[in-house]
Amino acid sequence: MHGMVFEDLAVEVMAELPTDEARGEVLTLVEAVRKDPRAWLDVRDPGSVEEIREAFGARCWIQYMPHSGAIEVREIGWAG
């Protein structure tokens, strides 16, 4: 997947998702974020220089950092 980097924790969560459908839902959200990374909520702590954002799908969420032309997925959550 061009323009995406997954942190170790995010990779572990992806591997533990219960179905291919669940992985597909997360990857669909990641792709939507990659296309427009600044459309989602900025959740960084006051004074932080790291831009951290969160995006939500129907049963999943991701926390990521936008970089020029790419995103770094830090965490993935699954509520399904």
Side-chain angles (χ1 to χ4, degrees):
M1 292 187 188
H2 185 65
M4 298 177 212
V5 175
F6 287 79
E7 292 289 324
D8 291 342
L9 179 60
V11 171
E12 288 176 26
V13 172
M14 283 294 288
E16 293 176 7
L17 289 173
T19 64
D20 288 341
E21 181 183 352
R23 284 183 284 286
E25 185 174 327
V26 171
L27 291 175
T28 297
L29 178 60
V30 169
E31 180 61 19
V33 167
R34 188 192 63 78
K35 289 180 180 178
D36 192 5
R38 291 192 167 76
W40 301 90
L41 185 62
D42 188 341
V43 297
R44 73 179 114 184
D45 293 328
S48 175
V49 295
E50 288 186 323
E51 183 178 357
I52 300 171
R53 295 181 175 263
E54 289 181 343
F56 297 87
R59 297 179 293 175
C60 63
W61 62 270
I62 64 170
Q63 186 179 78
Y64 65 97
M65 294 175 55
H67 298 283
S68 56
I71 63 169
E72 176 183 342
V73 179
R74 298 170 52 124
E75 291 184 40
I76 297 171
W78 178 254

